[in-house]
Amino acid sequence: MKAFKKVIAVVLALMMVLALVACGSSSSGDTADTAPAATGSSDAAPASDGTTKTAVGEYSESNPYKLTFTYVEFYEQDAAERQAVVDALNEYMIPNYNIEVEFYPLSYTEFMTNFGTSIMAYDEYDVIPVFYSTVSSWINAEAMVDLAPYMDTADGQKIVAALGQETATVSSINGFQYGLPAMKESVELGGLWMRADICDELGLTEKYDLDKSDGTYTGTIYNWSVAGDIFAQVKAAHPEMTPLYMYNSDQSPRFYFVDPLVDRFGVLDWQADHDSTTVVNEFETESFRNMCHLLADWYDKGYIFGDAATDTQGTATMIKAGNTFSYATAIKPGFLAEANASNNTDGYAMYFGDQVEGGMASHSCAFFGFGIADSSKDPEMAFKFLSALYTDPVVMNYWQYGIEGVDYQVLDDGTAYFADGVDNSNFKYYQNTGWAGGNQFISYVWNDGTKDAGYWDALAAHNNWTYYSPAFGFMWDSSDYTTYITALNTALETYRAALSTGSVGSANVDATIDKLNDALYAAGLQEVIDAKQAQLDAWLADNGPTATPQSNLDLIATGEYIPN
Amino acid sequence: MSNNGKEIKSGGKTEALKRYWPLYLMFLPGAIYLFINNYIPMGGLIVAFKSYSAKKGIWGSAWCGLDNFKFLFSTPDAWVITRNTLLYNLAFILTTTVVGIIFAIFICDCISKRAQKIYQSAILFPYLMSSVVLGYIVYAFLSNSTGIVNNTLLSEPINWYATPNAWPFILVFVNLWKGVGYGCLIYISTINGIDTALYEAATLDGATKWQQIKNVTLPELKPTVITLTLMSIGRVFYSDFGLFYQVTRNSGMIYSTTNVIDTYVYRGLMEQNNVGMSAAAGFYQSICGFILVLLANQIVRKISSENALL
């Protein structure tokens, strides 16, 4: 045993020494305590002598700032063509911004799993993609630049002019602005995608005017009980078919609206009161209970896919398999063409909800976006590029669609499409991912044959069909409560899938909801609610509740709710 | 092994070095590899005691004591996940060892060499399968709407993925099916290495097959069993993540019998990217495993000292 102790002692000592050697060199990042852009030299264009001065350095056309632009790539690109696009973009960027860009594409999986580790390791990045629910840990680890001071500069004001004050600053936690949101439709509105052939056969198309809609919301929204009747008809006519496909993905925003205040542990119950600023437990609300009962009833009647609670295949796979009638989904203008293409089946879109038009909450607006990594050598220059992504169409078009004439062409009506000889199957460069970051509203509309030049307006107008949460602009800072959130997530996940797919069965709904709430309170829900309420009250004292614009209210008043 | 050790001691260390230096040289690349890969990263464990800041780095971050460990113990789940992890692993060790030995003895007694090879490969095959594939095979049996079990064996379908009490049996069985081949292979090679003279002598003495197994095969297998078991005990606080995550299809309703430390940490921290808390979980598992190995080794030493590892 003595000899063994010696061995252990030596090994431990060596381990410590080596660890010191290996890790001691990693703290060199904090050399320049980068001061915000208060130096006054932050005009968008370079100064008259063609140079850009920042607190860190001075850049010119011959000595541009080398910037890494990290973003998520959703389709596979040709690496050589991507480099060609970068070169072309730089021919524009260097004289106009004194910035030389380098693209650093991530796959979505990389972004969601590995990228956080890289951020935590303080690897050098400039502009990076951000996702609202993981970003608070990045802020907490001092890995993000606070954009708030930069918003007062000329570049910042251009962004505010383009996005509006509220949207421009929505990605803020405790006064720390970590990023800018992607410009997209952010309202939680949706319903069902239904197979066209079955709808035609059962006369539903005529009854509900289904063939008139391309997915654009016109104010007509049906109560979910109507869907129950439709499923009954489908079940009767096609007993072998699954009327409603649900899977292990939460569709509760389709059934009722609450402001989840980022993480659902403590919410504002809009369904009960649009103006309420009292943080309550979502899983004790009437709306939640009603949804669970409705879904469990459907499940018992055989309307819902039997393996819903554990299934992860996704809607397109199931629809293509040919045995499924419908699925619940968010819907927006242009939705139908995209859904039909990915399902390889013709379908109709129908809006369902519970007497309330869509809701706009901080998280739905700030979902994806771009921020600046604290490891950036010159955050001022990074902010200039970020600003270009939101205000300069040339930059957006290069990044999104590539080189005009090679990768895409501008059609007569001002929309863009693949260049001659290029299509969806053989393109070399084509992102079309403006919904994940940047301001796509300033770029060309991608005309896949179903859209026109007015598409961006239609998307923006979709956002008008919404009530704003009084807490719009507030994001809660959970960093002191990570221990609680971990336990709460486990408690919720234990029961969520069974309840939100109905597979728990009608007889067990109430008992299971009770169990869920017991588990949540045991995991510290009350402490989290209290903390959230305190933060929200402080935020309200500074900002006041966000009001729904009168134009939105007027528009919503023209809508038609069909209870049954 | 222990004999060699004694010789070295009696001869003095320098002499041993002189005598065995080619062996040490051969050992060197492996040692360096282990050092770089397994020992240096251990320095990172220090993060478990820090409030991690990417900007300040591992050494610059502020100390936070045991705060990072709180999430493992402050929750009502702490007891459940620890219990599940321990009991499942003990059950796994027990079943794979017992069944592995039985299979090994059967396979070694196959007269046809060809059949031996086939059985050996067949039993190893599931071990080489990824747990995602394994998860889908189980799903094919247990799925609610299209599962083989619900559609052929049972008149009244059972929602398996919402029935917590069934899962201890399902998981132990699935793990056995998947894991038995690996240990079995090692037992087969040990049995093949047993001096055939022992069996011949036993046969001459009129020992039955069962007596041969009991008095020759099993005692000869003992060192292998002890080594393999000690190694598994070291990992008793870890669990086969794929088995507990993929095979259960991450179904919430059965967490009470399927949530183990690894899946709990994964679910809890995947969202949060909390470096300190992840390191704390790993640290906790390693320390517990380390203590368990030492304890188990002590016990083995008491029972049969020549088989202890250290």
Side-chain angles (χ1 to χ4, degrees), chain A residues 1 4 8 11 14-15 18-20 22-24 27 112-113 116 119-122 133-134 137-138 141-143 299 305-307 310-312 374 482-483 485-487 490 493-495 498 503 522, chain B residues 35 39-40 42-43 52-56 58-59 70-71 74-77 136 139 143-146 159 161 249-253 255 259 264 268-275 277 290 294 298 310:
Chain A
M1 199 62 193
F4 171 63
I8 289 289
V11 168
L14 270 171
M15 184 186 101
L18 266 157
L20 276 164
C23 311
S27 55
M112 281 308 192
T113 54
I119 290 293
M120 288 297 168
Y122 212 67
S133 84
T134 48
S137 63
W138 297 2
E142 301 180 88
Y299 187 86
F305 181 52
D307 285 303
T310 49
D311 197 75
T312 50
D374 192 71
T482 40
T483 307
I485 303 291
T486 310
T490 308
E493 285 306 306
T494 306
Y495 302 101
S503 46
Chain B
F35 209 83
Y39 282 88
I40 294 178
M42 276 194 223
Y52 181 72
S53 154
K55 185 179 194 147
K56 293 177 191 138
I58 292 178
W59 300 98
K70 270 189 195 156
F71 88 108
S74 68
T75 74
D77 311 310
Y136 274 100
Y139 190 50
S143 146
N144 240 359
S145 47
T146 51
N159 190 351
Y161 290 92
R249 301 189 66 75
N250 194 20
S251 171
M253 290 301 272
Y255 278 180
N259 214 359
Y264 181 78
L269 302 183
M270 206 36 213
E271 281 269 295
Q272 303 200 10
N273 268 317
N274 191 318
V275 178
M277 276 152 74
F290 186 63
L294 291 188
Q298 282 293 312
L310 291 166

Side-chain angles (χ1 to χ4, degrees), chain A residues 77-292:
Chain A
Q77 311 289 333
D78 181 84
E81 185 61 20
R82 191 197 292 121
Q83 191 52 49
V85 171
V86 172
D87 293 342
L89 172 62
N90 279 330
E91 269 177 42
Y92 173 78
M93 288 303 291
I94 294 173
N96 287 295
Y97 290 86
N98 290 338
I99 291 174
E100 186 182 343
V101 186
E102 189 191 341
F103 280 9
Y104 186 79
L106 300 168
S107 76
Y108 183 69
T109 329
E110 271 175 330
F111 173 54
M112 281 308 192
T113 54
N114 312 338
F115 188 60
T117 324
S118 183
I119 290 293
M120 288 297 168
Y122 212 67
D123 292 343
E124 207 177 297
Y125 295 103
D126 291 295
V127 174
I128 54 168
V130 287
F131 178 56
Y132 81 100
S133 84
T134 48
V135 77
S136 79
S137 63
W138 297 2
I139 297 172
N140 205 29
E142 301 180 88
M144 299 294 296
V145 170
D146 182 6
L147 302 185
Y150 296 90
M151 294 310 283
D152 297 330
T153 64
D155 289 318
Q157 286 308 308
K158 274 166 68 183
I159 298 175
V160 171
L163 311 191
Q165 179 70 34
E166 268 167 0
T167 310
T169 57
V170 70
S171 307
S172 304
I173 298 179
N174 258 353
F176 185 107
Q177 187 180 344
Y178 64 81
L180 295 169
M183 292 304 285
K184 57 173 177 47
E185 79 301 335
S186 303
V187 45
E188 297 275 16
L189 265 173
L192 291 178
W193 178 96
M194 299 183 291
R195 254 175 67 171
D197 52 348
I198 308 282
C199 288
D200 293 345
E201 177 195 323
L202 297 176
L204 301 168
T205 314
E206 241 177 12
K207 191 171 173 191
Y208 300 110
D209 274 345
L210 293 177
D211 50 353
K212 307 268 187 324
S213 170
D214 68 340
T216 306
Y217 187 61
T218 55
T220 307
I221 190 160
Y222 292 88
N223 186 278
W224 277 105
S225 61
V226 176
D229 298 342
I230 293 176
F231 296 151
Q233 287 182 56
V234 173
K235 188 86 192 161
H238 295 276
E240 79 293 347
M241 190 170 252
T242 305
L244 174 63
Y245 171 65
M246 295 195 90
Y247 66 114
N248 193 356
S249 108
D250 193 60
Q251 290 292 342
S252 63
R254 306 283 84 77
F255 293 88
Y256 61 89
F257 294 115
V258 295
D259 183 343
L261 300 172
V262 179
D263 56 18
R264 290 184 91 179
F265 304 118
V267 302
L268 299 183
D269 187 3
W270 294 344
Q271 200 81 19
D273 175 7
H274 280 13
D275 302 319
S276 168
T277 54
T278 311
V279 181
V280 297
N281 174 11
E282 172 181 348
F283 309 102
E284 284 176 325
T285 60
E286 251 343 89
S287 323
F288 179 73
R289 192 175 294 270
N290 290 343
M291 174 192 80
C292 293

